[in-house]
């Protein structure tokens, strides 16, 4: 019994020591995990976000400092989060992550990239002293909520889907690689045709095509060389018409004079004939 009591005392001391060590009993981490589903929570409040990969040695070295910094999040009124780029490819595309680890600061939807030293003290100073104000924010065109970055996120997710599908067809189903390439080529052509038809339909709805009217041939103006003889012909024709009209008027006047003279003669001859008969 005495031997058993001597053995229990060190075991109890060891258990008490392990309980007193921070994190030894599975303490909950203060670092939040962001995904493609809940990333919009970044647009409200102040955040510090780390983009990492499990296989990255630099990311592994940063984890203790990041966890320690997260413990100060409540005091600094900042939320500390992390994103696994191997699992969340959509967020990787939204932020165009080209180096690991990458750290961003966000304040009410305005994003800035952190390029300072990566220690707990520097992170705390960056927030407490508001050093982020001296960093130029990311342009709204390239912000994660912009249309451009949303399209980029969709392309990243599509590339992962294609890679996963290819792996499934080749490794799981045992198809040759060329069959997988043929399937994707056919899908690409089909999607292109469908997209083209959709764009034509939309364009026809907003900008309906107008019926073409027959084009009227423009009347050519005669050149100066041709117009001069035409003018001469017209002048001669007008002169002939004037002469003809003058001759007509003269003939009419002569005829009227003849009729007057004949009527006068008849009047003069008329009475004597009457006296002779009497």
């Amino acid at each position: 019994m005495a031997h058993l009591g001597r053995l229990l005392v060190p075991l109890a001391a060891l258990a008490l020591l392990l309980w007193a060590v921070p994190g030894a009993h599975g303490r909950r981490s203060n670092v939040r995990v962001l995904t493609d589903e809940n990333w919009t929570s970044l647009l409200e409040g102040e955040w510090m976000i780390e983009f990492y990969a499990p296989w990255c040695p630099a990311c592994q070295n940063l984890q203790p400092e990041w966890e320690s910094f997260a413990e100060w999040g409540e005091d600094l009124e900042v939320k500390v989060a992390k994103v696994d780029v191997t699992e969340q490819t959509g967020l990787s595309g939204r932020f165009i992550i080209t180096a690991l680890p990458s750290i961003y600061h966000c304040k009410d939807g305005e994003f800035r990239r952190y390029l300072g030293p990566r220690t707990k003290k520097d992170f705390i100073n960056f927030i407490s002293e508001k050093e982020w104000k001296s960093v130029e924010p990311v342009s709204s065109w390239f912000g994660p909520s912009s249309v451009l970055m949303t399209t980029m996120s969709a392309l990243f997710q599509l590339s992962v889907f294609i890679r996963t599908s290819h792996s499934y067809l080749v490794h799981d189903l045992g198809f040759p690689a060329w069959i997988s390439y043929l399937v994707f080529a056919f899908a690409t052509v089909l999607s292109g045709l469908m997209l083209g038809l959709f764009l034509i339909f939309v364009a026809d709805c907003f900008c309906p095509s107008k019926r073409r009217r027959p084009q009227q041939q423009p009347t050519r103006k005669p050149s100066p060389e041709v117009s001069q003889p035409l003018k001469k012909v017209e002048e001669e024709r007008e002169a002939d018409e004037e002469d003809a009209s003058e001759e007509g008027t003269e003939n009419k006047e002569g005829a009227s004079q003849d009729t007057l003279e004949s009527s006068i003669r008849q009047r003069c001859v008329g009475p004597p004939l009457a006296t002779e008969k009497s």
Side-chain angles (χ1 to χ4, degrees), residues 20-257:
V21 174
H25 53 280
R27 186 180 57 184
R28 184 179 178 182
S29 174
N30 293 319
V31 179
R32 307 187 183 200
V33 178
L34 293 178
T35 62
D36 291 325
E37 287 75 23
N38 65 356
W39 76 271
T40 52
S41 58
L42 292 172
L43 302 178
E44 297 179 358
E46 189 171 9
W47 292 75
M48 287 286 285
I49 313 105
E50 175 204 5
F51 292 85
Y52 75 99
W55 48 263
C56 173
C59 300
Q60 295 172 3
N61 295 332
L62 179 62
Q63 289 309 307
E65 298 289 338
W66 198 249
E67 291 286 348
S68 300
F69 169 59
E71 296 176 1
W72 287 76
E74 187 176 353
D75 297 331
L76 297 172
E77 297 182 352
V78 63
K79 300 172 185 177
V80 182
K82 62 181 179 180
V83 178
D84 185 356
V85 296
T86 61
E87 296 292 336
Q88 311 300 327
T89 54
L91 281 179
S92 175
R94 286 184 184 276
F95 287 85
I96 310 296
I97 302 302
T98 57
L100 294 173
S102 293
I103 299 174
Y104 278 85
H105 172 267
C106 179
K107 178 69 173 178
D108 296 331
E110 195 172 52
F111 292 85
R112 293 173 173 85
R113 186 169 182 179
Y114 177 81
L115 300 175
R118 298 174 180 179
T119 62
K120 171 187 171 182
K121 182 180 179 181
D122 293 310
F123 294 147
I124 292 174
N125 293 335
F126 186 77
I127 299 299
S128 61
E129 298 180 6
K130 296 184 179 181
E131 296 178 359
W132 50 268
K133 290 186 176 181
S134 61
V135 180
E136 185 177 358
V138 177
S139 173
S140 59
W141 288 96
F142 299 99
S145 58
S146 65
V147 177
L148 180 62
M149 292 298 102
T150 301
T151 306
M152 189 65 67
S153 174
L155 291 176
F156 270 61
Q157 292 177 342
L158 178 62
S159 65
V160 173
F161 172 76
I162 293 174
R163 184 178 60 186
T164 305
S165 301
H166 175 74
S167 178
Y168 176 75
L169 291 174
V170 174
H171 298 292
D172 296 344
L173 299 181
F175 287 109
W178 65 270
I179 292 181
S180 176
Y181 297 148
L182 185 63
V183 170
F184 288 118
F186 176 76
T188 302
V189 173
L190 182 61
S191 60
L193 291 175
M194 296 298 293
L195 181 61
L197 290 174
F198 175 75
L199 293 177
I200 291 173
F201 175 76
V202 172
D204 194 32
C205 289
F206 288 98
C207 301
S209 58
K210 298 180 180 179
R211 294 182 179 179
R212 294 184 178 179
R213 297 179 179 178
Q215 296 181 355
Q216 297 180 354
Q217 295 183 355
T219 55
R220 296 180 179 178
K221 295 182 178 180
S223 60
E225 297 178 356
V226 178
S227 60
Q228 290 179 356
L230 291 175
K231 288 181 179 179
K232 292 180 179 180
V233 172
E234 291 178 357
E235 291 176 355
E236 292 177 357
R237 186 179 297 172
E238 291 176 356
D240 294 339
E241 290 177 355
E242 291 178 356
D243 295 338
S245 60
E246 290 177 356
E247 292 177 357
T249 53
E250 291 177 355
N251 293 331
K252 288 180 180 179
E253 291 177 354
S256 60
Q257 290 178 357

